[in-house]
Amino acid sequence: TPGHVDFTIEVNRSLRVLDGAVVVFDGVAGVEPQSETNWRLADNYDVPRLCYVNKMDRSGANFLRCVDMIKKRLGARPLPVQLPIGSEDNFKGMIDLVEMKALVWDSDDKDAEWQVIPITPDMYGTLADKLGIQVPSDRKILADIEKFRTELVDTCLEQDDAAMEAYLNDGAVPSAQVLRAALRKGTINSAFNPVLCGSSYKNKGVQQVLDAVVDYLPAPTDVAAIKTVDADGNPNGERKCSDDEPFSALAFKVINDAYGALTFARVYSGVLTKGASVMNTTRGKREKIGRMVEMFAKEANPIEEARAGDIIALVSMQETETGDTLCDSANPVILERMRFPDPVISVSVKSKTKADQEKFGTALGKMVRADPSLHLETDRETGQTILRGMGELHLEVTLDRMRTEFGVEGVMGQPQVAYRETLTKKVDEQYIHKKQTGGSGQFAEVWITFEPLERGAGFEFVDETVGGSVPKEYVPAVEKGLKMQKEEGVLAQFPTVDFRATLTDGSYHDVDSNALTFEIAAKAAFREAFRKASPILLEPVMKVETVTPGDYLGDVIGDINRRRGTIQDQLERGTNIAVVATVPLSEMFGYIGHLRGMTSGRASYTMEFSHYDPVPRMVADAVIAEVAKAKELAKKA
């Protein structure tokens, strides 16, 4: 899976359906920022892991430093089962601490075979000389083979009481077979993580990693039974991984292209045959299984049946989306759904040409159905289509895929901030609407008191007229007029909130008054009153929680202050610190990219709406000027 933070969803759904994982580390960089995020995800799903330190042939590679970083940064318990023989240009192979053999490659040819050299204690000191290792740190590793071997044996014996007893009482050194069984048990229980090394580019150590997958990672039958849930998501049972159980599978990825949909599914129990009819219990729909294929990169190999533990792809499923459960209709269950991260960035999107508008909407819908970390919504105020995702790269890649897969181009912009307006002082307004034409005229008089309310109170209308000064049948028209006019404020035409309008008095004409005249009078009274009531702009303020390593705390706080933010709290989150703050939404655009740059990608944040606050005068003036300019341009167009 790609490791980039914008594509966390791919790691997320993979970990949900796999029984074991190989976590690949760069021998030079060690534990990189996104390794921490992905490791935490694997912890959440309780997935057993092997660690593979790759690129041992690169300049600056250091195996022991990488093992130390796994311990300190990830809070894991790494257990080396191999040691590198040399590093950088000197990388020749590895020591297998289980078999106590050296695996040495004579050349860098990708098809080269390795030599196996048995290692005995009398060789530890001279091994470096025999293999021509000059670098002091590399020589030290080979001189310390006994230390690493002892650590491996001691850790393995914790998993096997009988072998521990034989070792303590009789000094019996456990065999390679006993060590492998103990390593497998400890890995599946997540007691430790075996660490291997190699250079994938030069094909050194790759086969050993694949052997370790077979030896140490669990088979589908070794892991706990999959949990089932009820319609509300509460656990209500489990389904064992067995061909004899009723069929159940989880659809975890949908790939849409111009030719149809390919639905990837993990079979958790039972047997699925081509042509079978199954139930989508998540949506209450039936699905007919047409073509079933097993995927090898882009190559699709047709298969006739799939058994418990298999991962397959189903062609052209009509009703099934990511996270849905497919099962035997006679034994319906719903499998525990995947946990998807919340989007952290949103942009407005539209088709490049008007002719492609419908095609663009259809393609966008397919992309969102295939990727649950994308959200689509329409801004009711601006009419923009807003696409929310995990980062700017994520959104750019989505639009790019729409171009290549569906042949439709989109344009990305910034969403507008939903400002509000309100008044700051009480105003009494009298307004007379009077119009005389050839026939009957128009007449209505209203006396309305406007006063501010506390934040979040919205709009209140009160009728305090007495003696029929405004007939009862016209009072709703006054309220309707105010409600319509408050949607277009006097400052920059943003909706007006948090005020009370009290109709205190008025007058009417038997012939010239009607509901429409009172509606017009109420609208005009609103406009006049608000100009006198010292109106102000309000902006949405977000509650932002930024989780960062302590090293970057000062930078993060300084940046939040520069964004007109207010720090509310600082909380410990394991080895990290969570900074809780309130920040205006208008200052949060581009924050994710800036935050990653500032913290080497090690910080993350979540954001949700908190409340509305007055906009500082300078900012308000700029917003009002911008709205006026946009209006002017629209008129000219």
Side-chain angles (χ1 to χ4, degrees):
T1 70
H4 193 282
V5 64
D6 283 9
F7 304 100
T8 304
I9 181 69
E10 299 300 337
V11 186
N12 205 321
R13 53 174 150 210
S14 301
L15 288 170
R16 168 63 178 81
V17 296
L18 298 178
D19 301 321
V22 178
V23 186
V24 182
F25 297 95
D26 185 318
V28 181
V31 177
E32 293 176 270
Q34 195 53 26
S35 311
E36 296 177 42
T37 309
N38 295 340
W39 192 272
R40 284 198 297 270
L41 264 177
D43 282 341
N44 290 344
Y45 287 112
D46 203 16
V47 175
R49 275 147 279 173
L50 297 179
C51 299
Y52 171 53
V53 180
N54 188 22
K55 303 183 182 177
M56 283 306 301
D57 58 322
R58 271 187 61 201
S59 179
N62 188 324
F63 177 76
L64 293 184
R65 189 187 69 213
C66 196
V67 171
D68 195 48
M69 286 174 85
I70 293 171
K71 193 181 297 177
K72 287 179 178 166
R73 279 205 180 174
L74 304 178
R77 190 181 177 190
L79 180 64
V81 293
Q82 289 179 350
L83 295 175
I85 298 173
S87 63
E88 304 181 1
D89 294 341
N90 233 345
F91 180 62
K92 298 186 184 309
M94 64 281 302
I95 305 284
D96 180 341
L97 292 171
V98 177
E99 296 272 2
M100 286 308 280
K101 290 175 180 171
L103 310 176
V104 182
W105 278 258
D106 290 330
S107 75
D108 284 344
D109 181 15
K110 289 186 180 180
D111 298 321
E113 285 290 314
W114 61 90
Q115 259 184 294
V116 178
I117 305 169
I119 303 175
T120 51
D122 60 326
M123 289 172 65
Y124 298 159
T126 59
L127 196 59
D129 294 323
K130 278 190 178 179
L131 297 168
I133 305 293
Q134 304 300 326
V135 184
S137 57
D138 294 344
R139 291 180 70 88
K140 173 108 175 59
I141 287 182
L142 296 180
D144 284 346
I145 291 173
E146 188 61 41
K147 185 185 91 175
F148 289 105
R149 164 73 179 182
T150 305
E151 185 190 349
L152 176 75
V153 171
D154 289 351
T155 309
C156 286
L157 290 175
E158 291 171 13
Q159 304 296 321
D160 188 332
D161 291 343
M164 170 78 89
E165 207 170 303
Y167 181 66
L168 292 175
N169 294 341
D170 311 324
V173 179
S175 65
Q177 194 177 350
V178 170
L179 288 176
R180 274 205 195 90
L183 279 167
R184 182 182 180 83
K185 186 180 174 187
T187 306
I188 292 171
N189 296 338
S190 297
F192 48 73
N193 306 100
V195 185
L196 299 96
C197 60
S199 164
S200 300
Y201 178 67
K202 291 181 177 167
N203 206 13
K204 292 180 182 177
V206 175
Q207 190 163 327
Q208 286 67 30
V209 172
L210 295 176
D211 289 344
V213 168
V214 175
D215 289 342
Y216 308 137
L217 289 181
T221 48
D222 290 332
V223 293
I226 185 73
K227 299 275 186 292
T228 59
V229 295
D230 59 22
D232 298 321
N234 301 313
N236 66 353
E238 59 181 33
R239 201 40 89 78
K240 287 196 184 88
C241 181
S242 165
D243 291 350
D244 304 327
E245 290 269 309
F247 168 71
S248 68
L250 183 77
F252 66 92
K253 185 179 174 80
V254 177
I255 295 178
N256 283 300
D257 58 27
Y259 308 106
L262 204 57
T263 306
F264 286 82
R266 154 76 194 250
V267 181
Y268 279 100
S269 62
V271 180
L272 179 65
T273 52
K274 189 178 165 185
S277 178
V278 296
M279 187 76 179
N280 180 332
T281 44
T282 311
R283 301 185 188 279
K285 302 274 178 76
R286 295 188 75 82
E287 286 272 27
K288 179 92 170 164
I289 303 298
R291 277 183 70 212
M292 289 197 298
V293 294
E294 209 165 40
M295 297 299 293
F296 289 91
K298 284 194 172 181
E299 197 181 309
N301 299 331
I303 53 172
E304 296 298 314
E305 67 169 24
R307 296 182 169 272
D310 285 351
I311 288 180
I312 55 167
L314 305 166
V315 181
S316 298
M317 301 285 276
Q318 298 302 313
E319 306 287 348
T320 304
E321 292 181 11
T322 304
D324 288 0
T325 299
L326 298 170
C327 65
D328 176 6
S329 46
N331 296 277
V333 289
I334 301 176
L335 301 177
E336 207 174 6
R337 286 183 73 84
M338 287 172 265
R339 296 186 283 273
F340 298 121
D342 293 324
V344 296
I345 188 170
S346 52
V347 294
S348 60
V349 290
K350 61 180 181 181
S351 62
K352 201 168 186 179
T353 60
K354 277 208 166 161
D356 281 345
Q357 219 159 336
E358 196 176 324
K359 199 175 165 191
F360 180 80
T362 308
L364 200 54
K366 285 183 176 178
M367 296 301 293
V368 172
R369 277 197 298 278
D371 184 348
S373 63
L374 285 172
H375 288 196
L376 198 60
E377 56 196 52
T378 304
D379 191 309
R380 285 187 295 127
E381 286 160 25
T382 64
Q384 290 176 311
T385 300
I386 305 294
L387 183 65
R388 292 159 61 81
M390 298 308 297
E392 285 160 87
L393 180 66
H394 186 204
L395 299 176
E396 283 165 16
V397 167
T398 299
L399 286 188
D400 191 57
R401 282 182 58 201
M402 284 171 65
R403 182 177 58 77
T404 54
E405 292 172 24
F406 300 103
V408 58
E409 289 207 44
V411 180
M412 193 188 290
Q414 276 199 341
Q416 294 173 16
V417 177
Y419 289 101
R420 298 283 184 267
E421 298 181 19
T422 193
L423 72 170
T424 56
K425 65 181 186 184
K426 187 175 175 180
V427 171
D428 294 312
E429 185 64 32
Q430 176 206 13
Y431 188 84
I432 299 173
H433 172 65
K434 203 172 186 177
K435 200 172 181 184
Q436 200 61 46
T437 51
S440 60
Q442 295 181 6
F443 178 85
E445 180 187 7
V446 291
W447 291 71
I448 304 175
T449 300
F450 295 91
E451 55 192 315
L453 294 175
E454 69 272 10
R455 285 295 155 264
F459 165 65
E460 278 181 30
F461 175 74
V462 181
D463 173 24
E464 284 187 358
T465 53
V466 288
S469 55
V470 176
K472 289 293 174 198
E473 63 267 29
Y474 298 150
V475 171
V478 174
E479 184 178 0
K480 182 186 173 188
L482 292 171
K483 277 184 174 172
M484 286 171 72
Q485 191 59 51
K486 81 179 181 64
E487 292 305 311
E488 282 190 28
V490 298
L491 285 175
Q493 294 191 313
F494 291 111
T496 309
V497 294
D498 304 341
F499 71 98
R500 180 187 291 128
T502 307
L503 179 63
T504 55
D505 205 356
S507 64
Y508 69 102
H509 188 277
D510 286 336
V511 177
D512 294 350
S513 293
N514 55 37
L516 182 62
T517 59
F518 274 95
E519 191 180 307
I520 293 167
K523 285 181 176 179
F526 176 95
R527 289 194 296 268
E528 295 296 326
F530 264 74
R531 288 192 182 97
K532 303 170 190 170
S534 305
I536 57 168
L537 267 190
L538 299 173
E539 63 184 345
V541 176
M542 314 305 282
K543 182 186 176 190
V544 179
E545 189 173 298
T546 305
V547 181
T548 175
D551 307 355
Y552 306 104
L553 183 62
D555 292 340
V556 167
I557 289 174
D559 184 60
I560 288 171
N561 289 333
R562 278 192 294 278
R563 293 174 187 272
R564 299 193 283 121
T566 307
I567 307 295
Q568 306 282 327
D569 206 353
Q570 289 181 39
L571 310 163
E572 280 191 25
R573 287 280 161 84
T575 55
N576 295 330
I577 296 165
V579 179
V580 182
T582 52
V583 189
L585 176 62
S586 60
E587 301 289 342
M588 290 301 291
F589 295 127
Y591 180 61
I592 187 71
H594 189 73
L595 179 68
R596 286 174 189 160
M598 192 167 52
T599 62
S600 306
R602 291 178 65 193
S604 60
Y605 84 101
T606 54
M607 180 171 81
E608 61 184 5
F609 174 74
S610 174
H611 61 280
Y612 273 91
D613 256 356
V615 180
R617 186 60 187 268
M618 278 175 65
V619 179
D621 289 346
V623 171
I624 293 164
E626 208 175 300
V627 170
K629 187 179 169 187
K631 210 189 298 178
E632 204 59 44
L633 287 170
K635 270 185 195 170
K636 285 177 185 172

